Amino acid sequence: DTAVSQTPKYLVTQMGNDKSIKCEQNLGHDTMYWYKQDSKKFLKIMFSYNNKELIINETVPNRFSPKSPDKAHLNLHINSLELGDSAVYFCASSQDRGGTSSYNEQFFGPGTRLTVL
Amino acid sequence: GQQLNQSPQSMFIQEGEDVSMNCTSSSIFNTWLWYKQDPGEGPVLLIALYKAGELTSNGRLTAQFGTTRKDSFLNISASIPSDVGIYFCAGQLYRGNMLTFGGGTRLMVKP
């Protein structure tokens, strides 16, 4: 009954390949995110997506694309993998409660460690 | 873009000691957050702060939202071995905006 799950946990691949990482949340949330954590542990938002809009961090290369088959899933597709793509990728989700209050808590998945050789 | 500077980068302390870490920003945030990341896991929210000057506690953890809205600190009292992990501050300008994370403070506790 994991809230936010990701597969695979580890992914090792060659440069130039295309790969996907899957994310599923069973919290009924309406917004999902992808983050990249580099080797120095810096966490950077890549995408934010709900059924209304996709927000893209302008620094993310267009080789990365999120795809949402339904509200509970946001998969990350990466084309033409490069060495610098090696990192841990985290999926997260939150529920927009509307109104003017506060932070909609983001719940993170366990991460996918991607290694590009 | 906005930058969050978190310090110290790492701390190695004795069990039972108190710990303090802080985060400063080049621009204001309207929400400050503190997360903890255990090895091999994703970050988990510890404390959320919504008003300048706000002081909030969660067990042995206490966090404050700076009055200038450009900084925040987290204190952990009487540390225990399970406090080991990486602590991240994060800021959000408006509800629904993306989060900006600090670089993390790696905490190590010696029993």
Side-chain angles (χ1 to χ4, degrees), chain B:
Chain B
Q2 292 171 317
Q3 299 287 331
L4 287 186
N5 296 309
Q6 189 171 345
S7 65
Q9 288 187 350
S10 62
M11 303 180 75
F12 189 56
I13 62 169
Q14 194 75 33
E15 182 178 0
E17 290 182 353
D18 297 343
V19 171
S20 185
M21 57 192 80
N22 66 73
C23 211
T24 58
S25 170
S26 56
S27 54
I28 66 170
F29 286 105
N30 291 315
T31 299
W32 281 92
L33 307 159
W34 285 93
Y35 276 85
K36 182 191 178 196
Q37 183 178 15
D38 289 328
E41 301 292 332
V44 174
L45 183 67
L46 298 174
I47 293 179
L49 302 158
Y50 304 114
K51 293 181 182 178
E54 178 182 355
L55 186 71
T56 296
S57 293
N58 178 5
R60 293 179 295 105
L61 277 61
T62 302
Q64 184 157 31
F65 190 145
T67 54
T68 65
R69 293 194 287 163
K70 290 184 179 182
D71 62 329
S72 178
F73 72 74
L74 175 71
N75 285 344
I76 305 173
S77 62
S79 58
I80 59 178
S82 62
D83 291 334
V84 164
I86 304 176
Y87 291 79
F88 290 98
C89 62
Q92 186 181 44
L93 187 54
Y94 296 111
R95 188 179 60 80
N97 269 184
M98 293 186 178
L99 298 184
T100 299
F101 278 84
T105 295
R106 185 184 296 271
L107 178 64
M108 293 158 279
V109 179
K110 184 177 179 182

Side-chain angles (χ1 to χ4, degrees), chain A residues 44 55-58 104 113:
Chain A
K44 190 169 74 171
I55 301 175
I56 303 171
N57 184 324
E58 60 188 12
N104 300 318
R113 181 175 294 276

